[in-house]
C-alpha cells in the first residue's frame, strides 16, 4: 500500500532507485522485472473501452474509487510498457483525486525515460498518465455531485 | 565503423559505407546499425551535396525565368527526369511525373483515371499484402462510385495465389493495382504475369514499386504496366519526391489532378487549356531541391551497380535468414521463394515493441508494428512484426549484432 507517502515522496524513491543503475541495460532489466511482477489484469477488464489510445502495444487501464482514494489496475502485452505502468501505479494509486490531478510526475524525466524512449512511445506513456488523470477527475466530479460519502459504500 | 572483408569480390563495402556520413554516428553509445531501410534508406554524401549545392549555387524557381539561375535549376530538375526515364526504361520523358512519393502517385491515378473510368458495379483488384496507400485511395473511389474492391488472397508463406487472382478477373475488372514487393513480407510478386492477365481481361494496371525500385531491375516497358509509382527516399534519395510513371496515351486522356500554375497553357475566366505532359500533372512549384538531388541517388546506384547491390543484399538476406532461424521461438513471417532483402519475424511470448526498444538500446534500428499493412497482419493473426531490412551498406557483422541483440532481449524478456 502506498500508505501515507505522498506522490512526490514516492517519485523521489523511484529516482533514488534508478540512480543506482549505471547503464540502460540495467534500467531495462529492472523495468522488465517490474512488468513481470505486476499482476495480470483479469480478462473481464480487458475491454475495448479500457484500452488506452496512443500506444503501439495494447494497454488496458481501469480504476476504482474506495474511501476517497483512487486505485488503478492495468496491463499490457508489452512487458516494458507494463513495467512503466507499474511505476505509474506505484506513484499514483491509492491517492486522492486532487493529488493525482496535481501530480507533475517529474520522475519520468529524471530517470531519463522521456528522452530515452522514442517519441511515439513516450506519447503512449503520456496517454497513460492522461487516462489516469481522467479517471481521477471523473471521481472528483462524482464526489462533488453525490456528496462525500458516495465512494464509501464499499 | 564496422570493418569486414568484402562479402563478394568487387564489392567495396568499406568504401560504400564511407559514403554515408550518418553511419559514423552512434546511437545510445553504440555504432548505429541501420536496418530500417524499407521505411527509408540513408543518403550518400553526393545526395546531401546535391541538396546544398542547389541551395548554395542556383536556387531558383523553374520553367518560368529566363535568368541564369532559373535556367540552371530547370536544367538540373529536368536532368532528373531523364535519369528516371533511363532508370525505369520508360519510352519517353513525358511519361515521368514527379510527385511527393508513392502515395501521391497512387492517389493521382485513383482521382483522375479512377474518377473518369470507374462506374457503379465495376471492380478493382488489389492484393492481401498491400500497403495502406494502395488500399485507401481505391476504397475511397469505390465508395464514391459504387464499385467493388476485390482482394487477391495469399498462402501461409506470403505468396499471392495466382489461380485465385485469375478467378477474380472478369469483364467488370477495370483496374488491377498490386504491390511489386511487399514491405511487410519481402515477397516479390510476379507482376509481369499479373499485368498480362489483367490486360487480357481488359483492365488497366498499376504497380506499387515503393519497395522494388531500390532492389530490382525495373523496366516498365518489359513489365508493360500502365502505371508505376515509387518514392525517391527508399532508394538513397531525399524525402518528399517520387515518381508516377504512366503510359503516354493514358496520361494524355486523363483529366487533370490539381489545378494551378505550371500545369496550364492558357488561362482565362471562361476557359483554361492545359499544359502538355508531364507538366499537366505538376501543378505549382514542385519540390525542386529534392528532385534535383534525387538524380544524385540514381547516380549512386549506377556507380555501385544495381546488380552488385542486389547480389550483396541477397547474400545478406541468406545470411540473416540462417542466423535468425537459429533463434529459438523465432518465426519468420513471409517465406516466399522470391524475396527482397527484408525479414519480418515474431518471437514467442515477446512483443515486437519490446524487442524494438531493447535493440534500439544497442544502436540497432529496426521497425516494429503493422508496417501500414493491418489487413495483412490480420491474415497472419498477429498485431505486428519486427522487421529488419537491408541495403547496400549493411554488413554481415551487423547481422551478427542483430542476432546477438535478439538473444539478449529474449533472455531479458522471458
Ligand atoms: C509497399 C509500399 N507502398 C507505398 C508506400 C508509401 O510510400 P510513401 O510513404 O513514400 O508515399 C510504402 C512506404 O512505406 C510502401 O512500402
Amino acid at each position: 500500500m502506498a500508505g501515507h507517502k505522498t506522490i512526490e515522496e514516492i517519485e523521489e524513491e523511484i529516482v533514488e532507485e534508478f540512480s543506482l543503475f549505471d547503464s540502460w541495460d540495467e534500467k531495462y532489466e529492472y523495468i522488465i522485472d517490474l512488468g513481470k511482477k505486476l499482476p495480470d489484469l483479469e480478462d473481464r477488464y480487458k475491454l475495448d473501452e479500457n484500452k488506452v489510445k496512443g500506444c503501439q502495444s495494447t494497454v488496458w487501464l481501469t480504476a476504482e474509487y474506495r474511501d476517497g482514494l483512487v486505485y488503478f489496475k492495468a496491463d499490457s502485452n508489452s512487458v516494458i510498457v507494463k513495467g512503466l505502468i507499474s511505476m505509474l501505479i506505484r506513484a499514483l494509486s491509492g491517492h486522492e483525486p486532487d493529488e493525482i490531478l496535481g501530480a507533475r510526475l517529474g520522475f519520468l524525466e529524471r530517470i531519463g525515460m522521456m528522452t530515452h524512449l522514442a517519441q511515439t512511445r513516450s506519447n503512449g506513456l503520456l496517454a497513460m498518465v492522461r487516462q489516469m488523470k481522467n479517471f481521477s477527475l471523473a471521481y472528483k466530479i462524482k464526489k462533488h455531485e453525490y456528496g462525500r460519502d458516495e465512494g464509501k459504500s464499499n | 565503423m564496422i570493418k569486414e572483408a568484402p562479402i563478394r569480390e568487387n564489392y567495396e563495402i568499406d568504401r560504400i559505407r564511407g559514403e554515408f556520413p550518418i553511419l559514423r554516428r552512434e546511437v545510445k553509445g553504440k555504432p548505429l546499425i541501420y536496418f530500417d531501410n524499407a521505411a527509408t534508406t540513408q543518403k550518400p554524401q553526393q545526395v546531401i551535396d546535391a541538396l546544398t549545392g542547389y541551395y548554395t549555387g542556383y536556387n531558383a524557381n523553374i520553367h518560368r525565368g529566363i535568368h541564369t539561375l532559373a535556367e540552371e535549376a530547370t536544367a538540373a530538375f529536368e536532368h532528373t527526369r531523364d535519369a528516371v526515364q533511363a532508370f525505369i526504361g520508360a519510352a519517353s520523358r513525358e511519361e515521368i511525373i514527379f510527385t511527393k512519393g508513392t502515395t501521391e502517385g497512387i492517389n493521382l491515378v485513383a482521382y483522375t483515371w479512377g474518377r473518369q473510368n470507374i462506374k457503379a458495379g465495376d471492380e478493382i483488384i488489389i492484393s492481401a499484402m498491400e500497403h495502406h496507400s494502395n488500399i485507401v485511395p481505391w476504397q475511397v473511389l469505390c465508395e464514391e462510385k459504387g464499385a467493388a474492391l476485390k482482394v487477391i488472397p495469399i498462402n501461409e508463406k506470403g505468396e499471392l495465389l495466382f489461380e485465385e487472382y485469375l478467378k477474380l478477373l472478369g469483364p467488370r475488372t477495370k483496374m488491377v493495382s498490386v504491390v511489386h514487393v511487399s514491405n511487410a513480407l519481402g515477397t516479390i510478386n510476379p507482376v509481369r504475369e499479373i499485368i498480362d492477365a489483367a490486360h487480357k481481361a481488359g483492365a488497366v494496371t498499376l504497380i506499387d514499386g515503393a519497395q522494388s525500385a531500390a532492389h530490382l531491375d525495373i523496366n516498365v516497358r518489359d513489365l508493360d504496366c500502365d502505371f508505376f509509382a515509387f518514392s525517391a527516399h527508399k532508394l538513397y534519395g531525399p524525402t518528399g519526391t517520387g515518381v508516377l510513371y504512366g503510359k503516354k496515351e493514358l496520361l494524355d486522356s486523363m483529366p487533370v489532378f490539381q489545378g494551378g500554375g505550371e500545369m496550364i497553357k492558357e488561362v482565362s475566366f471562361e476557359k483554361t487549356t492545359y499544359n502538355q505532359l508531364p507538366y499537366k500533372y505538376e501543378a505549382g512549384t514542385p519540390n525542386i531541391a529534392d528532385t534535383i538531388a534525387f538524380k544524385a541517388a540514381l547516380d549512386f546506384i549506377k556507380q555501385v551497380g544495381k546488380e552488385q547491390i542486389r547480389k550483396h543484399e541477397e547474400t545478406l538476406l541468406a545470411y540473416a535468414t540462417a542466423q535468425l532461424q537459429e533463434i529459438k521461438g523465432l518465426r519468420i513471417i513471409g517465406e516466399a521463394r522470391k524475396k527482397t532483402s527484408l525479414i519480418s519475424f515474431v518471437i514467442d511470448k515477446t512483443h515486437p515493441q519490446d524487442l524494438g526498444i531493447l535493440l534500439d538500446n544497442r544502436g540497432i534500428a529496426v521497425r516494429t508494428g503493422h508496417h501500414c499493412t493491418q489487413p495483412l497482419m490480420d491474415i497472419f493473426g498477429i498485431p505486428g512484426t519486427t522487421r529488419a531490412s537491408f541495403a547496400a551498406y549493411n554488413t554481415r557483422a551487423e547481422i551478427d549484432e542483430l542476432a546477438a541483440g535478439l538473444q539478449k532481449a529474449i533472455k531479458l524478456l522471458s
Side-chain angles (χ1 to χ4, degrees):
Chain A
M1 274 270 293
H4 322 291
K5 285 180 198 142
T6 63
I7 291 176
E8 232 169 90
E9 282 164 354
I10 299 168
E11 285 190 56
E12 214 50 57
E13 278 177 10
I14 296 175
V15 171
E16 241 166 72
E17 284 164 22
F18 266 78
S19 70
L20 300 174
F21 301 128
D22 297 326
S23 69
W24 272 98
D25 275 351
E26 288 171 346
K27 288 186 191 177
Y28 276 125
E29 212 173 316
Y30 180 67
I31 293 167
I32 289 166
D33 207 44
L34 291 176
K36 287 178 186 168
K37 282 186 187 142
L38 187 70
D40 291 342
L41 197 63
E42 299 91 317
D43 280 343
R44 68 193 155 101
Y45 291 117
K46 288 188 176 173
L47 309 169
D48 272 353
E49 69 214 53
N50 288 335
K51 278 187 188 172
V52 179
K53 303 268 183 314
C55 307
Q56 205 184 83
S57 51
T58 308
V59 173
W60 295 272
L61 177 70
T62 71
E64 225 183 323
Y65 191 49
R66 256 186 290 129
D67 302 332
L69 305 178
V70 188
Y71 295 88
F72 297 105
K73 280 200 229 177
D75 205 342
S76 172
N77 52 2
S78 151
V79 188
I80 293 178
V81 171
K82 207 170 162 184
L84 297 173
I85 298 173
S86 166
M87 291 197 289
L88 286 177
I89 290 182
R90 176 174 162 198
L92 297 181
S93 201
H95 295 270
E96 289 182 4
D98 272 332
E99 195 188 353
I100 296 169
L101 285 167
R104 307 238 304 277
L105 299 175
F107 83 97
L108 292 170
E109 195 74 62
R110 285 168 67 198
I111 64 173
M113 221 54 234
M114 300 311 262
T115 41
H116 202 262
L117 285 178
Q119 191 61 30
T120 46
R121 289 190 294 261
S122 54
N123 278 345
L125 203 57
L126 293 179
M128 268 187 286
V129 173
R130 207 178 311 124
Q131 191 59 26
M132 290 170 128
K133 291 199 172 188
N134 283 345
F135 272 122
S136 308
L137 185 63
Y139 290 132
K140 178 181 167 167
I141 292 166
K142 219 164 146 189
K143 187 168 91 176
H144 274 285
E145 279 178 7
Y146 299 109
R148 295 223 62 193
D149 286 334
E150 175 60 22
K152 289 195 175 170
S153 56
N154 206 7
Chain B
M1 208 172 109
I2 292 163
K3 289 243 181 218
E4 70 172 45
I7 298 175
R8 301 174 40 77
E9 277 175 67
N10 305 328
Y11 197 80
E12 297 175 74
I13 185 70
D14 284 340
R15 190 182 57 75
I16 290 166
R17 289 181 66 82
E19 294 188 31
F20 290 81
I22 207 169
L23 297 180
R24 292 194 278 275
R25 77 161 276 184
E26 295 195 335
V27 167
K28 309 275 156 72
K30 317 262 170 27
L32 166 66
I33 294 178
Y34 187 76
F35 283 155
D36 197 15
N37 293 288
T40 196
T41 57
Q42 297 305 339
K43 321 303 172 199
Q45 188 63 50
Q46 63 202 80
V47 168
I48 300 162
D49 288 345
L51 269 174
T52 50
Y54 163 74
Y55 282 124
T56 51
Y58 56 99
N59 170 53
N61 211 329
I62 55 170
H63 295 144
R64 333 181 174 176
I66 50 149
H67 57 80
T68 304
L69 297 189
E71 271 176 15
E72 286 176 10
T74 304
F77 186 86
E78 292 301 327
H79 279 153
T80 302
R81 203 184 305 274
D82 296 331
V84 170
Q85 183 200 340
F87 186 72
I88 62 170
S92 73
R93 63 193 317 283
E94 287 78 39
E95 297 179 322
I96 308 300
I97 314 288
F98 287 120
T99 61
K100 281 196 297 185
T102 312
T103 305
E104 193 183 41
I106 298 170
N107 275 283
L108 190 157
V109 176
Y111 278 86
T112 59
W113 180 91
R115 286 249 169 84
Q116 189 180 43
N117 292 284
I118 297 294
K119 301 180 301 296
D122 285 347
E123 293 174 358
I124 293 168
I125 296 180
I126 60 172
S127 85
M129 61 176 88
E130 299 308 323
H131 188 278
H132 294 163
S133 65
N134 196 29
I135 302 175
V136 184
W138 304 117
Q139 272 174 337
V140 171
L141 178 65
C142 285
E143 216 156 275
E144 187 184 313
K145 298 288 187 175
L149 198 62
K150 301 279 166 178
V151 181
I152 311 169
I154 57 172
N155 64 20
E156 70 288 345
K157 286 180 165 174
E159 297 166 321
L160 291 183
L161 297 175
F162 201 80
E163 292 303 314
E164 298 300 315
Y165 163 57
L166 295 180
K167 281 185 219 160
L168 290 179
L169 282 169
R172 286 186 231 234
T173 313
K174 291 287 145 53
M175 165 62 80
V176 175
S177 185
V178 290
V179 71
H180 197 171
V181 168
S182 158
N183 66 305
L185 308 170
T187 310
I188 303 174
N189 287 319
V191 286
R192 202 175 169 158
E193 290 76 9
I194 290 172
I195 292 162
D196 272 354
H199 284 166
K200 288 204 180 91
V204 165
T205 55
L206 184 150
I207 301 301
D208 171 352
Q211 294 295 336
S212 61
H215 306 288
L216 305 177
D217 257 326
I218 306 297
N219 187 304
V220 290
R221 268 181 297 174
D222 278 354
L223 290 176
D224 198 28
C225 54
D226 299 291
F227 298 104
F228 188 95
F230 64 106
S231 307
H233 71 91
K234 293 185 198 277
L235 52 149
Y236 312 104
T239 53
T241 185
V243 171
L244 173 70
Y245 158 84
K247 281 184 183 163
K248 189 164 182 304
E249 350 33 297
L250 273 167
L251 292 176
D252 268 333
S253 69
M254 282 155 40
V256 297
F257 182 38
Q258 291 172 340
E262 246 354 80
M263 54 77 71
I264 45 83
K265 195 153 85 192
E266 275 177 75
V267 179
S268 71
F269 285 117
E270 288 69 42
K271 183 166 173 57
T272 293
T273 50
Y274 303 121
N275 204 339
Q276 77 229 41
L277 288 176
Y279 311 108
K280 175 181 165 188
Y281 293 104
E282 293 179 0
T285 300
N287 185 345
I288 302 169
D290 292 306
T291 305
I292 287 173
F294 181 14
K295 178 167 182 299
L298 297 174
D299 290 344
F300 166 79
I301 293 173
K302 213 153 97 186
Q303 285 148 15
V304 180
K306 209 168 182 187
E307 182 64 10
Q308 293 281 84
I309 295 175
R310 193 179 59 74
K311 284 184 178 157
H312 173 73
E313 289 173 349
E314 270 175 8
T315 316
L316 292 177
L317 177 67
Y319 187 71
T321 306
Q323 289 283 88
L324 295 196
Q325 272 168 344
E326 293 285 303
I327 296 173
K328 236 180 100 208
L330 184 147
R331 179 160 67 100
I332 293 177
I333 304 294
E335 299 180 291
R337 270 154 299 173
K338 291 187 174 176
K339 272 183 72 170
T340 56
S341 54
L342 76 81
I343 303 188
S344 249
F345 57 88
V346 291
I347 294 178
D348 280 351
K349 298 190 198 81
T350 64
H351 194 281
Q353 180 176 313
D354 290 339
L355 290 177
I357 292 173
L358 294 175
L359 289 174
D360 180 62
N361 193 40
R362 300 170 71 93
I364 304 172
V366 294
R367 176 127 315 215
T368 63
H370 55 61
H371 318 295
C372 297
T373 58
Q374 273 177 333
L376 179 65
M377 296 294 119
D378 291 344
I379 292 171
F380 281 99
I382 49 178
T385 72
T386 304
R387 182 188 72 188
S389 49
F390 312 117
Y393 40 71
N394 289 125
T395 67
R396 279 189 296 197
E398 290 179 318
I399 291 168
D400 291 339
E401 286 293 319
L402 171 67
L406 286 172
Q407 294 283 20
K408 189 147 186 228
I410 291 168
K411 213 190 247 154
L412 268 179
L413 292 168
S414 54

